[in-house]
């Protein structure tokens, strides 16, 4: 549906002979579609004239859909027939609302006017001049519709007025409510006084019934307003909560607080479930003391809401979708309304922290919250949608606790390392500011009696300052204090090692560790130095003796990324290392003594990704848009420059092609030997972009994570045949 679609699907109840349907909007494809709830199969779909950014208004099996170009489309919902449209003449950025008991619909324009449409007469019967600024509306309007049981002659003309309420911004830090009397007799009638203001902006349509209106703002404020009842002398809207102290008296140049979306999740009489400042609380409104009283002992920390909340039919379970405040992940949470107990919580979407790794027939990815996902490429037979059995939610089999994908600790430093045995992957994660280190191992094709995920935590204050490596049975970590820490992968205490950082570099310099054998590894020193170390697994503590360290080799310029180990071009057991330098060159060194090979390989420009080994080749990305590909054995190279935006990640070999993706959504397949394109490529037709380099998905497809948290699979034949069609998979 696209990243700009913020409204929930509308449930259309069954009306024999027509089944129950879900009505969904896609802002990306300008489409409205009806889906079967159990299968997701489209019953019908219709392409709109422009994106629809508001919720459809459903009246008697008809949908009235506002689009950005100023049209309101009338669509029959059973079979999807388009019955016609209204042309209002200005952008429509929110949805409309119906006045119950009448044929009237109210659709606000982006600025100044609200249009009144008569469904029966099929024409615009009135235009209310509200004067609201462009972009100021926070939601579709609210209609408070009241009918006085007494005849109009006895009750009086003004005894039971209905109101149209607009929620709109008032400057950059406040919002206000404006009530207009219905019916509209005077197009220029002013709003009913007063116009209540509250600090912050709302992001969801307020809760409202015939007696009150409630919402929460991104400044942590709760607005609770009563609505004028029949034959009383209240103003149309009046506050039921006294203003907080900071609202009674303006603050003098107070620094701006961090803004977090707020939401009224559910209301039952005087009980309110409110999500504000990232915390969900159940509060009871005491009308006599005019205050909210917490019911739960402690609130639930869930994060910032991202779309409307939902409740089950019994009103005993609340469902909220939030963005974590400290981690770049999205969570769907089911909460018991009575006591605030979390029934279940599920992470949504896949926002890759690094390029996916291929492990046999499976794809292993790690998201920015530290969650580990494994996708099985052997279960893509029908290719019509990402079925639940394709994404494995790994478990610690035989244990009572299910595997939880995300890790605590706020922003994380995450690394994914292939195991030295070639059949496993390790995730290494710790808080970016320092804290507990978590190591997870995932083996390919684990036996039924073995756990999917092996996990170990190190309860120490560890802060990574570069790329770790697995050397023999140990994990070596470059720490922010300039030392190397050795952590046994299976069991045992961690051990301090030598200093990796050169004395002359600053404390923010990054270091990298690369394994070259069961006891040998290389380190960069944050500057131009590259050192070969030997630390046998049987030696408990590192000893500074001549045979442990070969003198550091000083390269012509600063090392800018982790070195890559390449096989020897002579076919012997001696290895060689390729290093990217700040002057835009690639240096090659050979053997235990790190002998510098000549000549240097000069890609030219700034190396922004790599180097990385791909079979017998080594590649790097230069100036974000040029892929330079080298054959160290033959001494030849080619380069490819993308016509789009920056190249994403480190391109991989997929089905015999070098598959290159850029931020504009363009894909191209290149011959690894010559750099010749296999076809014209393909451009992704969506507002999302690739978030990581495509990886091999089976034998004839590429797995591509996108920036909106979804994944699609690209058949390689579409890179060879420019007229082929891309097929996509959901999240």
């Amino acid at each position: 549906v696209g990243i700009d679609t913020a409204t929930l699907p509308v449930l259309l109840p069954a009306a024999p002979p027509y089944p129950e349907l879900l009505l969904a909007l896609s802002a990306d494809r300008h489409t409205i579609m009806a889906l079967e709830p159990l299968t997701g199969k489209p019953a019908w779909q219709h392409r709109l004239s422009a994106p629809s950014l508001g919720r459809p208004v459903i009246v008697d099996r008809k949908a009235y859909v506002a689009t950005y170009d100023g049209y309101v489309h009338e669509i029959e919902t059973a079979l999807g027939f388009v019955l016609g449209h209204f042309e209002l003449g200005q952008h429509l950025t929110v949805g409309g609302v119906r006045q119950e008991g009448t044929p009237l619909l109210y659709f606000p324009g982006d600025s100044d006017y609200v249009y009144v449409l008569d469904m029966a007469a099929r024409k615009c019967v009135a235009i209310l001049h509200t004067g609201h600024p462009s972009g100021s509306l926070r939601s579709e309007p609210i209609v408070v519709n009241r009918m006085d049981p007494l005849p109009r002659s006895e009750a009086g003309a003004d005894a039971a007025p209905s109101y149209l309420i607009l929620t709109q911004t008032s400057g950059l830090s406040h919002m206000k409510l404006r009530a207009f009397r219905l019916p509209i007799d005077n197009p220029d009638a002013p709003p009913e006084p007063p116009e209540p203001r509250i600090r912050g902006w709302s992001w969801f349509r307020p809760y409202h019934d015939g007696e009150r209106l409630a919402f929460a703002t991104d400044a942590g404020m709760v607005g609770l307003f009563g609505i004028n009842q029949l034959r009383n002398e209240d103003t149309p809207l009046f506050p039921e909560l006294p203003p907080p102290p900071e609202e009674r008296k303006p603050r003098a140049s107070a620094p701006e607080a961090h803004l977090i979306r707020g939401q009224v999740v559910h209301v039952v009489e005087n009980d309110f479930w409110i999500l504000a400042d990232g915390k969900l609380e159940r509060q009871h409104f005491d009308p006599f003391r005019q205050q909210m009283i917490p019911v739960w002992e402690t609130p639930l920390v869930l994060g910032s809401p991202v779309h409307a909340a939902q409740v089950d039919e019994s009103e005993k379970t609340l469902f909220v979708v939030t963005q974590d405040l400290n981690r770049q992940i999205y969570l769907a949470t089911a909460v018991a309304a009575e006591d605030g107990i979390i029934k279940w919580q599920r992470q949504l979407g896949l926002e890759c922290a690094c390029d996916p790794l291929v492990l046999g027939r499976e794809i292993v990815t790690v998201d920015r919250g530290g969650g580990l996902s494994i996708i099985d490429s052997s279960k893509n037979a029908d290719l019509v949608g990402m079925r639940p059995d394709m994404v494995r939610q790994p478990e610690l089999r035989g244990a009572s606790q299910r595997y939880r994908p995300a890790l605590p600790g706020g922003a994380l430093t995450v690394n994914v390392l292939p195991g030295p045995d070639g059949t496993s992957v390790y995730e290494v994660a710790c808080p970016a500011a320092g804290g507990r280190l978590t190591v997870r191992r995932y083996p390919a094709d684990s036996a039924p009696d073995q756990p999917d995920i092996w996990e170990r935590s190190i309860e120490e204050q560890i802060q990574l300052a570069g790329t770790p490596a697995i050397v023999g049975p140990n994990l070596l970590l470059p720490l922010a204090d300039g030392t190397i820490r050795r952590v046994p992968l299976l069991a045992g205490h961690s051990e301090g090692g030598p200093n990796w950082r050169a004395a002359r570099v600053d404390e923010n310099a990054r270091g990298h560790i690369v394994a070259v054998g069961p006891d040998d590894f290389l380190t960069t020193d944050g500057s131009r130095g590259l050192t070969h170390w030997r630390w046998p697994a049987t030696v408990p503590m590192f000893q500074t003796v001549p045979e442990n360290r070969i003198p550091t080799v000083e390269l012509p310029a600063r090392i800018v990324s982790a070195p890559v180990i390449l096989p020897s071009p002579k076919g012997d057991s001696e290895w060689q290392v390729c290093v990217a330098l700040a002057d835009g060159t690639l240096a090659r060194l050979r053997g235990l003594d790190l002998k510098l090979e000549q000549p240097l390989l000069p890609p030219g420009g700034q190396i922004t990704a790599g180097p990385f080994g791909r079979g017998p080749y080594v590649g790097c990305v230069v100036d974000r848009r040029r892929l330079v590909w080298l054959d160290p054995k033959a001494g030849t190279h080619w380069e490819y420059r993308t016509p789009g935006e920056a190249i994403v990640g480190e391109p991989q070999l997929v089905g015999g092609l070098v598959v290159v993706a850029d931020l504009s959504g363009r894909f191209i397949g290149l011959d690894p030997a010559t750099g010749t394109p296999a076809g014209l490529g393909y451009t992704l037709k969506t507002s999302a972009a690739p978030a990581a380099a495509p990886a091999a998905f089976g034998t004839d497809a590429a797995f591509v994570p996108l920036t909106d948290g979804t994944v699609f699979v690209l058949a390689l034949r579409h890179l060879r045949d420019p007229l082929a069609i891309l097929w996509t998979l959901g999240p």
Side-chain angles (χ1 to χ4, degrees):
V1 296
I3 197 170
D4 293 324
T5 298
T7 60
L8 294 178
V10 179
L11 183 63
L12 302 176
Y18 303 110
E20 181 181 66
L21 295 174
L22 286 174
L23 197 62
L25 291 168
S26 171
D28 266 11
R29 296 192 293 146
H30 304 182
T31 302
I32 183 171
M33 48 198 153
L35 309 173
E36 296 179 0
L38 295 182
T39 65
K41 180 180 178 181
W44 58 262
Q45 62 179 348
H46 172 68
R47 183 171 176 84
L48 301 169
S49 57
S52 178
L53 305 178
R55 191 174 173 88
V57 181
I58 308 298
V59 182
D60 298 331
R61 306 295 294 188
K62 296 179 182 177
Y64 295 85
V65 185
T67 52
Y68 187 72
D69 58 359
Y71 285 17
V72 176
H73 302 262
E74 183 182 15
I75 302 174
E76 188 271 332
T77 58
L79 299 175
F81 295 126
V82 179
L83 304 178
H85 67 266
F86 300 87
E87 298 181 16
L88 303 185
Q90 68 161 304
H91 295 318
L92 302 178
T93 54
V94 297
V97 63
R98 179 194 182 189
Q99 184 177 4
E100 295 294 334
T102 74
L104 302 181
L105 302 176
Y106 297 84
F107 282 88
D110 181 53
S111 65
D112 293 316
Y113 301 103
V114 173
Y115 301 88
V116 185
L117 308 181
D118 188 319
M119 297 178 291
R122 292 191 172 181
K123 65 179 181 179
C124 180
V125 295
I127 300 177
L128 175 63
H129 184 204
T130 62
H132 61 272
S134 176
S136 64
L137 295 179
R138 303 307 301 163
S139 71
E140 60 264 34
I142 295 170
V143 169
V144 178
N145 192 39
R146 297 182 297 175
M147 301 296 293
D148 197 314
L150 294 178
R152 186 177 180 88
S153 59
E154 298 180 20
D158 298 330
S162 297
Y163 297 106
L164 176 75
I165 301 174
L166 300 183
T167 57
Q168 66 182 73
T169 60
S170 179
L172 297 178
S173 59
H174 286 72
M175 61 173 292
K176 62 183 178 181
L177 302 176
R178 305 176 71 206
F180 296 85
R181 183 169 295 206
L182 298 179
I184 299 174
D185 298 322
N186 178 10
D188 294 314
E192 298 290 314
E195 297 182 6
R197 295 176 78 246
I198 191 170
R199 184 159 54 88
W201 288 2
S202 66
W203 291 84
F204 303 93
R205 193 183 191 200
Y207 163 82
H208 68 282
D209 53 29
E211 297 181 356
R212 58 168 58 114
L213 178 148
F215 58 89
T217 73
D218 54 16
M221 307 298 295
V222 176
L224 181 61
F225 297 91
I227 299 174
N228 180 7
Q229 298 302 295
L230 296 176
R231 289 182 292 280
N232 65 29
E233 297 181 357
D234 290 328
T235 58
L237 293 172
F238 55 90
E240 294 196 319
L241 291 173
E246 59 268 27
E247 290 294 296
R248 296 179 190 142
K249 183 178 180 180
R251 294 178 296 174
S253 63
E256 288 296 327
H258 180 57
L259 300 180
I260 302 171
R261 291 183 178 187
Q263 183 180 74
V264 175
V265 174
H266 187 48
V267 178
V268 177
E269 296 182 349
N270 284 333
D271 281 358
F272 293 77
W273 286 260
I274 297 173
L275 182 56
D277 286 332
K279 301 175 183 178
L280 177 62
E281 289 189 273
R282 179 183 177 182
Q283 300 185 15
H284 178 77
F285 173 63
D286 187 334
F288 300 102
R289 289 185 286 179
Q290 289 188 314
Q291 65 180 19
M292 290 286 195
I293 302 173
V295 177
W296 295 342
E297 291 186 5
T298 57
L300 291 179
V301 179
L302 296 180
S304 177
V306 295
H307 67 55
Q310 300 170 76
V311 61
D312 69 350
E313 294 179 355
S314 67
E315 298 189 349
K316 292 183 178 181
T317 304
L318 313 176
F319 304 94
V320 293
V321 176
T322 56
Q323 181 180 11
D324 192 279
L325 298 181
N326 299 313
R327 299 167 293 173
Q328 296 185 35
I329 60 175
Y330 294 88
L331 301 171
T333 308
V335 180
E338 179 65 27
D339 51 18
I341 300 299
I342 293 180
K343 293 186 173 182
W344 55 258
Q345 189 174 72
R346 174 91 179 208
Q347 184 175 336
L348 302 178
L350 179 64
E351 188 174 1
C352 287
C354 52
D355 290 346
L357 288 181
V358 179
L359 189 64
R361 69 173 189 269
E362 295 177 325
I363 297 286
V364 180
T365 67
V366 173
D367 61 38
R368 298 185 185 277
L372 189 66
S373 298
I374 299 96
I375 296 92
D376 192 339
S377 65
S378 66
K379 297 181 179 179
N380 63 341
D382 53 11
L383 303 180
V384 297
M386 185 74 84
R387 303 187 310 277
D389 64 334
M390 292 181 66
V391 180
R392 302 182 63 183
Q393 294 296 322
E395 289 187 82
L396 297 171
R397 291 182 185 165
S400 60
Q401 182 180 6
R402 288 184 59 84
Y403 166 76
R404 297 195 174 192
L407 293 172
L412 295 175
T413 299
V414 182
N415 292 272
V416 182
L417 308 174
D421 56 4
T423 63
S424 59
V425 168
Y426 289 83
E427 175 193 356
V428 180
C430 73
R436 183 179 68 178
L437 178 79
T438 300
V439 181
R440 291 172 175 159
R441 177 181 183 268
Y442 174 74
D445 302 324
S446 57
D449 59 342
Q450 297 295 321
D452 277 347
I453 298 294
W454 170 89
E455 181 173 315
R456 185 185 182 195
S457 296
I458 308 299
E459 300 292 341
E460 298 181 30
Q461 288 296 314
I462 291 178
Q463 183 178 4
L464 288 176
T467 307
I470 297 173
V471 181
N474 299 303
L475 175 67
L476 299 187
L477 309 170
L479 302 187
D481 62 4
T483 64
I484 297 175
R485 180 70 58 86
R486 185 167 77 171
V487 178
L489 289 173
L490 295 179
H493 298 289
S494 63
E495 304 160 347
N499 290 332
W500 62 265
R501 181 182 289 143
R504 63 184 179 275
V505 301
D506 62 63
E507 61 182 12
N508 295 322
R510 308 281 293 173
H512 308 283
I513 303 178
V514 180
V516 293
D519 298 325
D520 295 74
F521 60 96
L522 305 177
T523 64
T524 64
D525 66 359
S527 182
R528 299 187 300 163
L530 183 67
T531 305
H532 176 200
W533 304 86
R534 178 171 292 122
W535 192 355
T538 57
V539 177
M541 298 295 291
F542 187 84
Q543 302 171 0
T544 306
V545 293
E547 61 268 21
N548 283 0
R549 175 183 177 185
I550 296 175
T552 299
V553 174
E554 293 288 332
L555 297 175
R558 178 175 57 85
I559 301 171
V560 297
S561 62
V564 60
I565 306 300
L566 304 174
S568 171
K570 298 179 181 180
D572 53 26
S573 60
E574 192 175 40
W575 46 265
Q576 62 177 346
V577 58
C578 185
V579 184
L581 305 181
D583 61 0
T585 60
L586 287 176
R588 287 189 299 164
L589 303 98
R590 178 189 302 277
L592 297 178
D593 56 353
L594 298 177
K595 180 181 178 181
L596 187 62
E597 293 284 303
Q598 296 292 340
L600 298 178
L601 301 177
Q606 180 183 6
I607 297 177
T608 51
F612 44 86
R614 297 291 182 259
Y617 307 101
V618 60
C620 62
V621 178
V622 180
D623 294 332
R624 297 172 58 87
R625 297 180 62 182
R626 291 169 50 211
L627 173 63
V628 178
W629 203 258
L630 306 114
D631 184 345
K633 184 176 181 179
T636 59
H637 77 277
W638 53 260
E639 69 175 65
Y640 166 77
R641 181 187 294 270
T642 177
E645 302 296 330
I647 293 174
V648 177
E650 299 177 351
Q652 302 188 31
L653 288 171
V654 182
L657 295 176
V658 183
V659 179
V660 182
D662 62 37
L663 288 178
S664 62
R666 186 174 185 270
F667 299 87
I668 193 78
L670 307 174
D671 186 321
T674 64
T676 304
L680 298 179
Y682 185 87
T683 300
L684 190 63
K685 297 176 178 63
T686 178
S687 60
F697 195 67
T699 58
D700 59 353
F703 176 92
V704 188
L706 299 183
T707 54
D708 63 358
T710 62
V711 170
F712 81 93
V713 176
L714 172 64
L716 295 185
R717 67 178 181 275
H718 303 319
L719 298 184
R720 298 187 176 99
D721 180 4
L723 299 180
I725 300 175
L726 187 72
W727 51 264
T728 63
L729 298 183

